[in-house]
Amino acid sequence: MLQNLSRRLVVLNLAPVFRASQIRPYSDKNTKSVKFQPAPKKLKIYTKTGDKGTSSLFTGERRSKNDQVFEALGATDELSSNIGLAIGYAEEKNHPYVSQLQRIQCILQDIGSCVATPYSSARESHLQKVGFSGRHTEELEEWIDQYTDELPQLTNFILPGGGIISSQIHVCRAVCRRAERRISPLVAESECDPETLKYVNRLSDFLFTIARFAAKLEGRGETIYTRPDTRGGSDYSTTADGVWKKKK
């Protein structure tokens, strides 16, 4: 009786700190013991390791936060965040490309891993975890072709617009171009997989295409760029708000 009571007290005292993971019988098969493991520590969002203006790469190397690697990571993160906003708008209207944008966000995470693993400080064990497949770029090209078949032929430059969803996707496209400019020097210096640059380059084309597609789904017209001609005889005219559009 005392032995059982003692065992219960131990369990009660340790309960806030440990959790039961497995119950196994004693050899006499009449009593049971509990095996304990330390409870996992909560992960804090802040580490304080970057308070002096440096941050760590996947390889363990620390660099200044204004290093071109972090510029590329920041632009890629900003792109994914803007895509998230576009997804929020598009989900409200049940647009069909939402799952593709979500997949793109996942792939951008992989690109970030590649960027954060510069070849100059990476070991083979690092590189084995961050490979990037050219198949992702081919997939984008297939999507571009599919949506292009649903759109009128593009014969003029068009201005960003076409409703909230289309406009937000154009913002994504512009940020994507900036991410491409940030990744480009890393690839030129052989610090990053060239396939990542190809993907981001093609991604801006995909975003341009579905921006047009979103405008079509919303029944919005495309505003065509033209240099205003005041000499008369122009094929373009202004709307009530002063926007130049091609005459029908």
Side-chain angles (χ1 to χ4, degrees):
M1 175 70 71
L2 289 176
Q3 184 179 8
N4 289 338
L5 178 60
S6 176
R7 186 178 298 114
R8 290 177 184 174
L9 289 174
V10 169
V11 170
L12 289 174
N13 288 335
L14 293 178
V17 182
F18 295 91
R19 61 181 172 83
S21 63
Q22 184 178 0
I23 298 178
R24 295 183 299 182
Y26 276 117
S27 57
D28 61 9
K29 299 182 180 180
N30 293 323
T31 58
K32 293 182 179 181
S33 67
V34 179
K35 179 181 177 182
F36 295 98
Q37 292 180 347
K41 293 182 179 180
K42 290 184 178 180
L43 181 65
K44 291 186 176 181
I45 193 64
Y46 56 89
T47 64
K48 302 182 181 180
T49 58
D51 289 351
K52 295 184 179 180
T54 64
S55 191
S56 180
L57 301 176
F58 181 63
T59 61
E61 178 189 2
R62 295 195 70 83
R63 295 190 183 185
S64 171
K65 290 186 177 182
N66 63 6
D67 187 90
Q68 60 184 3
V69 169
F70 293 116
E71 288 287 344
L73 287 173
T76 304
D77 183 29
E78 188 178 349
L79 170 58
S80 183
S81 298
N82 273 284
I83 289 176
L85 182 57
I87 289 172
Y89 288 140
E91 282 180 328
E92 294 178 354
K93 298 298 183 70
N94 295 316
H95 283 197
Y97 49 79
V98 167
S99 62
Q100 292 167 323
L101 290 178
Q102 290 170 334
R103 174 169 170 77
I104 287 167
Q105 285 184 303
C106 293
I107 293 173
L108 288 175
Q109 287 293 113
D110 293 339
I111 289 178
S113 297
C114 290
V115 170
T117 313
Y119 290 158
S120 60
S121 61
R123 297 191 298 272
E124 185 61 32
S125 58
H126 295 135
L127 297 176
Q128 289 176 353
K129 298 177 182 179
V130 296
F132 193 81
S133 173
R135 174 66 187 122
H136 296 318
T137 304
E138 295 174 0
E139 181 179 57
L140 280 180
E141 292 171 351
E142 292 170 2
W143 293 349
I144 291 170
D145 292 341
Q146 291 170 6
Y147 285 112
T148 299
D149 288 342
E150 303 293 325
L151 295 168
Q153 185 175 357
L154 189 64
T155 57
N156 300 91
F157 287 109
I158 62 172
L159 302 179
I164 294 295
I165 302 176
S166 177
S167 297
Q168 175 57 32
I169 297 173
H170 275 297
V171 171
C172 295
R173 174 187 56 78
V175 176
C176 185
R177 286 298 191 191
R178 174 149 49 84
E180 180 184 3
R181 293 193 299 271
R182 298 295 184 267
I183 295 173
S184 180
L186 299 176
V187 173
E189 295 172 10
S190 299
E191 287 279 55
C192 187
D193 190 335
E195 288 296 334
T196 60
L197 186 61
K198 291 180 183 178
Y199 183 86
V200 178
N201 182 32
R202 207 71 78 252
L203 177 56
S204 61
D205 295 329
F206 173 73
L207 293 170
F208 175 79
T209 303
I210 63 167
R212 296 186 65 209
F213 185 71
K216 178 184 177 182
L217 292 179
E218 296 293 293
R220 302 296 188 102
E222 295 179 331
T223 303
I224 300 171
Y225 162 79
T226 179
R227 183 176 180 180
D229 186 356
T230 59
R231 296 172 296 179
S234 173
D235 291 333
Y236 298 87
S237 61
T238 56
T239 60
D241 55 2
V243 177
W244 285 77
K245 292 191 175 182
K246 193 170 185 178
K247 295 178 180 177
K248 294 182 178 180

